[in-house]
Amino acid sequence: MKGEKTILIVGAGVAGLAAGAFLAKQGCRVKIFEAQDHLGGCCSNTTLEGYTFNNGAMTVIMPGLLDHVFARLGVERAALLPLDRIRAPQRSFLGNGVTVTLEDGPGVRIEGGGGTGQAVEDLRRLVQKWAPLYRAFADLVVRPFSPAAWISRLGRYLPLFARTAAAELDALIRDANLRAALAGHIAYAGVDPRRLPAPSLLALAVMLEEGYFMPPGGMGAIPQALAKACEGFGGEIILDAKVKRIEVAGSGVTGLDVEGHGFVAADAVLSSASGMATFAWLLDPQRVPAVMARKVRRAPLSMKAFYIQLGLANRLEIDSHLNYILPSPAEIHHYFSPVDAQVKWGMYAVPTAFLPGLAPAGGSIVEISPAVRMDEAPDAWTEARVEALAEATLALLRQSQPLDIVVRRVRTPCSFQDEMHLYQGAIYGLSPLASP
């Protein structure tokens, strides 16, 4: 896009803001349209009665990718966007009474059973095996796409793709309790590890090698920093401006139809929405190539998200950020095929364990996501079902934590679809089971 081209961008999330800043730096006229009244999309915060909640993303992994983005923009990331390292990232409470704590380092502590020394050695073996693939991937993803480069760099790792995540954990981790804890950690994929491709362990290897991070003011600090860079280069960000349609004439895009703004002409349009949302919602169905329409219909979607956010008047006596309530190792597969009526397991985050400023003095924030069915359409999440699940989830959490609730906020697949414009409420878009 040479010269003073006008480029319109759909969405002021991290992707849209990063692209807008880079294009504005190249001299393009950039306008970013965001349907919500705030920046960041799923990487943003909402403050209620003094409690700062995440709207989606909870932590930063792969901070090197953020460093790369800001370096490309000629901005020092650390000065504009400081990140705090989470020193006690994860603890798992297993149904057999064993507690597994993953520590910064990487390190691990097993209480109530198992051998900690052996577990530390096994974690290091996992990192040694998978971290090189992560580093190769991270290097490739920041370069212009080249099939030859990807085949050359990643070809040697293809045998790793033939196994499931469960088989890989069985091969590398000798302690059953640690295996169960690690399986719970990759539950974000929404797929039983016995079906999940082994490369899904990459995120786990990255966390163990590099750690978790979070901006001191919450995840919303990331889009704020990118927006500052974008506007510094002359880009324009327009909030409360929902894109109704990407307009096409002949064989090319002509601009956007935006609520409250009408038709806005452009030389090019960049959609930072998912491919499914772009082709199913933003383009005239008559303009969508048949092959793309089929891909949208057949696309296997990621897990849906249901979680409850609590602002508490009391301080929780816990030092770990992510906390998993899991079945015993022999029954860990039940965590991935739960029944709604029986909320037995789940994950809760306590961001105020290391960033107390996110809550009023003496208070806490808890974000809990129970293990429930999340493979249904958003309209299956009726008000009655949501309320029943919320009560069952709070009962589960009260078994281990005192709750003096000031604020309660419930997020459902409907929230993510209707408010955050995620296709069918799927928080990661495509499922890890999708083919290349």
Side-chain angles (χ1 to χ4, degrees):
M1 299 299 297
K2 303 291 184 181
E4 293 187 358
K5 302 289 186 180
T6 297
I7 302 181
L8 307 181
I9 297 178
V10 181
V14 169
L17 291 167
F22 182 76
L23 289 167
K25 186 173 185 286
Q26 309 311 306
C28 298
R29 292 186 295 267
V30 171
K31 288 187 178 183
I32 304 177
F33 292 95
E34 169 57 50
Q36 299 185 82
D37 62 0
H38 61 270
L39 301 168
C42 288
C43 187
S44 60
N45 298 122
T46 293
T47 299
L48 300 173
E49 298 188 36
Y51 296 87
T52 300
F53 298 110
N54 294 311
N55 287 330
M58 302 172 74
T59 55
V60 174
I61 64 171
M62 303 187 190
L65 294 182
L66 274 178
D67 292 340
H68 171 81
V69 169
F70 283 98
R72 290 285 296 273
L73 296 174
V75 177
E76 184 183 353
R77 192 275 305 160
L80 191 61
L81 179 66
L83 296 175
D84 287 348
R85 185 163 184 156
I86 302 172
R87 295 299 175 185
Q90 178 187 327
R91 183 168 291 141
S92 298
F93 304 92
L94 303 180
N96 59 358
V98 175
T99 301
V100 179
T101 303
L102 293 182
E103 301 171 326
D104 201 34
V108 61
R109 186 172 72 254
I110 300 177
E111 300 167 274
T116 294
Q118 173 185 288
V120 171
E121 180 185 337
D122 288 351
L123 275 186
R124 288 175 179 161
R125 284 200 304 151
L126 186 150
V127 171
Q128 288 171 358
K129 182 172 183 178
W130 285 95
L133 174 57
Y134 151 65
R135 287 191 286 269
F137 171 78
D139 181 59
L140 286 168
V141 82
V142 297
R143 300 175 183 272
F145 179 71
S146 164
W150 280 67
I151 292 171
S152 173
R153 290 290 302 277
L154 301 182
R156 74 187 75 173
Y157 301 108
L158 286 179
L160 297 180
F161 287 68
R163 307 180 80 167
T164 65
E168 189 69 0
L169 288 176
D170 287 344
L172 292 173
I173 308 298
R174 288 166 286 182
D175 187 281
N177 296 305
L178 178 56
R179 280 201 307 272
L182 296 179
H185 177 83
I186 58 175
Y188 72 89
V191 179
D192 190 316
R194 294 175 297 183
R195 299 174 55 223
L196 193 64
S200 299
L201 295 174
L202 275 176
L204 179 60
V206 172
M207 183 276 289
L208 293 169
E209 183 175 60
E210 295 191 353
Y212 279 144
F213 298 82
M214 193 170 178
M219 295 298 286
I222 298 174
Q224 292 292 341
L226 288 169
K228 183 176 181 179
C230 180
E231 291 175 330
F233 294 125
E236 184 179 357
I237 303 168
I238 304 160
L239 302 178
D240 283 319
K242 182 179 179 181
V243 173
K244 296 164 62 178
R245 185 78 72 189
I246 298 174
E247 297 291 359
V248 179
S251 60
V253 169
T254 59
L256 295 176
D257 181 7
V258 185
E259 278 188 7
H261 298 266
F263 174 73
V264 184
D267 295 297
V269 167
L270 186 155
S271 173
S272 68
S274 71
M276 290 81 69
T278 299
F279 285 101
W281 292 345
L282 296 178
L283 283 164
D284 181 341
Q286 301 302 316
R287 294 286 188 176
V288 177
V291 64
M292 285 297 182
R294 285 196 299 272
K295 285 186 178 183
V296 169
R297 289 194 301 270
R298 298 173 181 174
L301 300 179
S302 76
M303 66 177 287
K304 312 297 195 301
F306 172 80
Y307 62 91
I308 302 168
Q309 298 175 311
L310 303 173
L312 305 180
N314 58 300
R315 174 73 68 189
L316 296 188
E317 298 301 322
I318 192 165
D319 61 359
S320 50
H321 177 236
L322 298 179
N323 302 274
Y324 290 81
I325 303 170
L326 301 173
S328 63
E331 299 179 329
I332 190 66
H333 57 279
H334 291 310
Y335 188 67
F336 305 94
S337 55
V339 178
D340 271 2
Q342 301 174 339
V343 178
K344 296 181 178 179
W345 309 294
M347 181 277 290
Y348 64 96
V350 187
T352 45
F354 69 101
L355 290 178
L358 297 177
S364 304
I365 290 175
V366 183
E367 302 175 328
I368 181 167
S369 177
V372 295
R373 286 193 61 191
M374 297 185 183
D375 56 351
E376 301 165 302
D379 58 12
W381 291 80
T382 63
E383 185 175 339
R385 178 187 181 192
V386 168
E387 188 57 33
L389 281 174
E391 290 304 315
T393 301
L394 293 180
L396 174 68
L397 186 57
R398 283 193 174 100
Q399 293 175 14
S400 60
Q401 299 295 341
L403 304 179
D404 185 358
I405 300 173
V406 178
V407 179
R408 189 185 89 162
R409 184 178 187 229
V410 179
R411 310 288 286 161
T412 72
C414 292
S415 308
F416 286 95
Q417 175 180 265
D418 300 339
E419 299 171 21
M420 320 230 15
H421 311 289
L422 298 181
Y423 184 71
Q424 293 191 18
I427 58 175
Y428 298 117
L430 285 172
S431 165
L433 300 180
S435 69

